[in-house]
Amino acid sequence: MLKYSHVIQSVCFITFPLLSLSHPINNVCKSYLDYPTREWNKNCHYDPLISATIPELIVGYVYDYEDFTVITEDGYVLGLYRLVMNTSDSAKAGVLLMHGATVSGSIWVDRPKERCLAFRLCDRNFDVWIANFRGTIYSNKHIHFAGNSSEYWNYSFHEIGIYDIPAILETIYERNGGKKVFLIGISMGGTAATIYASLKPKHCEKHVKAIISMSGSIFFTGITSIYKHISPHVYDLYKFGESIGFRNFAPSIITRFTLLRDFLTNFPPARILMQVFLFSTFGYDSTGIHEGFYPSILGHVPAGISLKTILHYAQLVTKEDKFDFFDNGPSENLKIYGVRDTPAYPLENINTFFYILAGGNDTLVTPKGCRKFYDLLAEDKRKMDIIEGYNHIHWLYGEDLDKGFIPTIDFMENNLNL
């Protein structure tokens, strides 16, 4: 049942816009062609959850939650959410959902349950936890550094793997009676989980049943995404950003909503250009993004990412077949790593089971790249499936989500004893 305070929150959040506006402006339409006439178009309606926060989304879809504050070993303050099950039965298992780059944990709860993995897992009696990594709008504080300081933004997915994930798992371990959980990471969530499993294998064995990596960005073998052509120039962007004090990519909420979202929703040619950009970056998808997801995507993205994270990915894309630490340059590498060249992550140390899910149409993290990672894992610690038709972001925003949801849920229910 929903807590009383959360019921009040839900009622206030949903009804306030309706009371303050005699006719709330429609913000969701059946087709992008309907948006220019959304105020009176019968194919459009008003959805108060489009730009809602994680708590508002959870309560708005009639679930309940608990929230926790996690402090990492290096001082970052993270927001962690837990869905409250609608049953008194004990949970089958815990599961931690980990988001990708430029987004936050909201991606797991920003839609009705039939299209939402988090809610479906909760309904199937899983104990669902939702992570928010450092730098996102839910984890934007530090015990020492200001949020706009160079010290705060000096991290990549490496630090997420060695600091954020362990701290989050330790919090869950304390709260769930010392039980292992499944990790589900999409894109960067899979990257960070792999770093964690390779550099902290004993910690991972203690806290994790298995890691499910959805298009986890490890090797960029065979990449044909436009990002391949952008990557060689990212270092120049990084140095320019440093010179003017620009260290992250997280436009203000006002700019994000009033400029970007309105332009892309109300100007049909812009939507076509957005589709072209998404396909050229993440791969062609014959069904495209579910139309109802566009306003939600634009309402929550970007949620915060450091330029160093983008640069680390650019380094890996340029190398394609290597999964290396961050390259600081020969002299700095020698100080930090003891060698002039960047060392590779020790994937041979991984002792946790990996279920790798690859998108058949993913041009960023290709099936070939996923297969390269799969081949490096021990035979009794791996499983891989390719979901045909999926590009890099179809796992969350495509039409036929069951093609990815069902094998994920089946894997967990068939491996509860891991």
Side-chain angles (χ1 to χ4, degrees):
M1 294 179 63
L2 289 174
K3 294 178 181 177
Y4 182 74
S5 61
H6 291 171
V7 172
I8 298 298
Q9 173 187 342
S10 178
V11 171
C12 291
F13 173 71
I14 293 174
T15 59
F16 180 77
L18 301 177
L19 294 174
S20 60
L21 296 171
S22 57
H23 297 289
I25 299 176
N26 294 330
N27 56 9
V28 179
C29 300
K30 291 183 177 179
S31 167
Y32 69 91
L33 296 174
D34 293 321
Y35 281 95
T37 59
R38 61 180 174 167
E39 291 187 32
W40 62 83
N41 194 317
K42 293 182 178 179
N43 289 328
C44 303
H45 67 278
Y46 175 73
D47 183 350
L49 297 176
I50 285 302
S51 55
T53 63
I54 290 177
E56 291 165 346
L57 287 164
I58 294 171
V59 175
Y61 287 120
V62 201
Y63 288 79
D64 199 6
Y65 69 92
E66 296 176 304
D67 58 334
F68 303 88
T69 298
V70 178
I71 300 179
T72 67
E73 182 182 335
D74 59 342
Y76 285 79
V77 182
L78 313 179
L80 174 66
Y81 294 91
R82 182 188 198 179
L83 296 184
V84 176
M85 296 187 300
N86 296 318
T87 175
S88 59
D89 296 337
S90 59
K92 292 177 181 176
V95 54
L96 174 63
L97 303 177
M98 304 186 300
H99 61 81
T102 76
V103 295
S104 71
S106 65
I107 63 171
W108 301 108
V109 292
D110 62 354
R111 68 208 70 178
K113 67 178 182 180
E114 61 271 11
R115 304 188 65 81
C116 174
L117 181 59
F119 295 148
R120 287 174 66 169
L121 287 171
C122 186
D123 287 348
R124 295 178 80 104
N125 215 23
F126 282 91
D127 182 16
V128 179
W129 298 76
I130 299 169
N132 290 282
F133 295 138
R134 62 184 64 196
T136 62
I137 57 177
Y138 300 99
S139 302
N140 56 7
K141 293 185 171 113
H142 192 281
I143 60 175
H144 298 302
F145 306 138
N148 62 351
S149 65
S150 59
E151 292 87 355
Y152 179 91
W153 292 101
N154 184 28
Y155 71 85
S156 79
F157 43 77
H158 173 83
E159 286 73 19
I160 292 173
I162 65 171
Y163 294 125
D164 290 16
I165 294 177
I168 291 170
L169 286 171
E170 286 165 12
T171 299
I172 295 173
Y173 199 75
E174 292 173 1
R175 296 285 177 168
N176 74 359
K179 298 174 183 175
K180 291 185 178 184
V181 299
F182 290 99
L183 299 191
I184 298 180
I186 184 168
S187 191
M188 187 187 74
T191 312
T194 303
I195 291 170
Y196 163 64
S198 67
L199 294 180
K200 294 181 174 286
K202 291 184 178 179
H203 190 283
C204 188
E205 287 182 73
K206 177 180 177 180
H207 294 87
V208 178
K209 286 177 174 288
I211 296 172
I212 302 171
S213 180
M214 297 175 171
S215 289
S217 311
I218 314 300
F219 295 107
F220 290 90
T221 309
I223 179 176
T224 57
S225 163
I226 192 174
Y227 192 57
K228 178 179 182 179
H229 306 288
I230 297 173
S231 292
H233 309 288
V234 170
Y235 180 74
D236 294 331
L237 172 65
Y238 178 73
K239 297 305 291 184
F240 175 73
E242 278 193 329
S243 69
I244 63 173
F246 179 75
R247 306 175 184 91
N248 64 86
F249 186 67
S252 72
I253 190 170
I254 295 176
T255 301
R256 188 163 74 242
F257 289 171
T258 62
L259 297 181
L260 179 62
R261 187 179 68 187
D262 288 350
F263 174 69
L264 291 174
T265 55
N266 297 328
F267 187 53
R271 176 64 67 78
I272 297 173
L273 291 175
M274 182 181 179
Q275 188 85 297
V276 170
F277 168 76
L278 292 175
F279 284 174
S280 63
T281 304
F282 301 119
Y284 176 71
D285 190 325
S286 60
T287 60
I289 292 177
H290 185 273
E291 181 60 37
F293 287 163
Y294 273 104
S296 181
I297 295 171
L298 296 172
H300 295 99
V301 178
I305 185 174
S306 69
L307 285 184
K308 188 173 181 178
T309 300
I310 297 174
L311 177 57
H312 198 169
Y313 269 131
Q315 293 173 352
L316 296 182
V317 167
T318 302
K319 298 175 181 180
E320 285 197 34
D321 290 323
K322 294 183 178 180
F323 187 49
D324 289 352
F325 284 68
F326 184 82
D327 189 350
N328 300 275
S331 60
E332 287 300 309
N333 285 344
L334 189 60
K335 295 177 185 177
I336 298 170
Y337 309 129
V339 291
R340 296 177 66 82
D341 293 330
T342 49
Y345 285 104
L347 300 181
E348 66 276 8
N349 290 349
I350 294 176
N351 291 319
T352 301
F353 196 102
F354 263 80
Y355 180 26
I356 300 168
L357 288 164
N361 287 4
D362 193 337
T363 58
L364 183 63
V365 181
T366 66
K368 189 175 181 180
C370 291
R371 176 66 65 178
K372 180 176 177 61
F373 176 44
Y374 170 85
D375 288 341
L376 294 174
L377 298 172
E379 291 186 6
D380 61 339
K381 299 289 184 181
R382 66 186 187 183
K383 174 180 170 63
M384 177 174 169
D385 283 324
I386 298 174
I387 310 300
E388 297 301 336
Y390 270 39
N391 67 5
H392 194 68
I393 58 175
H394 194 119
W395 310 97
L396 296 170
Y397 300 118
E399 287 283 355
D400 51 345
L401 295 178
D402 275 352
K403 287 173 65 177
F405 286 176
I406 291 175
T408 299
I409 295 171
D410 286 348
F411 171 79
M412 288 191 290
E413 292 190 331
N414 292 332
N415 292 279
L416 295 175
N417 294 323
L418 280 174

